[in-house]
Amino acid sequence: QWYLNGIIINGANTATYSTTTPGIYTLKVTSPTGCSNLSSGTKVVSPPTASASTGTAICQGGEVQLTVNTNGLSNPTYQWYLNNGNGFVSLGSNARSSTYSASSTGDYRVEVTSNNSTSSSCPIAIQVNSLPVANPTIAPSSAICAGTSAIITANAFGAAPFTYQWNVNGNPIFGAVASTYSATLGGDYAVKVTDANGCESYRDWE
């Protein structure tokens, strides 16, 4: 007869018992003559679970903090691993706390050791998305006469569709949110391009 936290588990009366529930398990074995003995408790714990502080897709140059929940393990130690296509590789001595700042694409997992027993979290897949690129061009020229205009085009590429915000002298131009802008005043123009992944780049007209 198996017990969980001192309570009988109904129907658990074979020599083996399969469980997914954490707790203290004991087994009472009874002989044909009626003699019985209760085993010492065996502690079953939930594996550690890792989670990301924000979404698992980040932009190039950014990072996401990964955190592990040890589910009650005592005096745990940690080691984070990264699988970048070549199997899980230890991230070394700088990845031995309950948190890790991930900045590369790949599957991350953490091994937690407690009471000489090691368990591993399920992997978290982190995707690092490239930033959009803009190569502004101007026509007919960057030098214009009063009463005329120069058309600046963002020429963005990356993860379409894009949104745009034009700026002059470091200030946003109200309503200038198309891929092109007609400039009629002198100044330093730039465009901020945001792609479908929410990644941004800022490019001055040169």
Side-chain angles (χ1 to χ4, degrees):
Q1 176 61 62
W2 289 92
Y3 296 77
L4 171 58
N5 299 326
I7 299 173
I8 289 177
I9 305 173
N10 292 329
N13 47 23
T14 60
T16 59
Y17 181 68
S18 177
T19 181
T20 59
T21 304
I24 304 296
Y25 287 82
T26 52
L27 173 64
K28 184 173 75 172
V29 180
T30 304
S31 72
T33 59
C35 297
S36 63
N37 188 38
L38 189 66
S39 70
S40 59
T42 298
K43 185 176 183 179
V44 175
V45 298
S46 296
T49 53
S51 60
S53 59
T54 57
T56 55
I58 59 176
C59 299
Q60 184 180 353
E63 60 183 29
V64 58
Q65 181 169 276
L66 306 179
T67 303
V68 60
N69 180 352
T70 60
N71 294 316
L73 294 175
S74 60
N75 300 317
T77 59
Y78 311 92
Q79 180 62 65
W80 290 88
Y81 293 81
L82 170 63
N83 182 352
N84 57 5
N86 298 313
F88 281 97
V89 177
S90 170
L91 291 168
S93 58
N94 293 324
R96 292 180 179 170
S97 69
S98 60
T99 61
Y100 181 76
S101 295
S103 58
S104 301
T105 293
D107 294 334
Y108 292 79
R109 66 175 174 84
V110 59
E111 285 187 354
V112 180
T113 301
S114 173
N115 297 323
N116 297 318
S117 178
T118 299
S119 55
S120 177
S121 70
C122 292
I124 296 181
I126 300 298
Q127 174 65 43
V128 179
N129 294 312
S130 299
L131 302 180
V133 177
N135 292 313
T137 56
I138 191 167
S141 171
S142 59
I144 58 175
C145 298
T148 63
S149 63
I151 306 300
I152 312 174
T153 303
N155 299 311
F157 61 91
F162 305 103
T163 59
Y164 306 88
Q165 176 61 63
W166 291 91
N167 301 266
V168 61
N169 300 325
N171 299 308
I173 304 171
F174 179 77
V177 292
S179 60
T180 61
Y181 179 70
S182 179
T184 58
L185 300 175
D188 295 325
Y189 288 84
V191 62
K192 181 177 76 172
V193 179
T194 304
D195 67 13
N197 296 317
C199 298
E200 299 177 349
S201 64
Y202 189 88
R203 180 67 186 271
D204 294 318
W205 156 249
E206 299 176 353

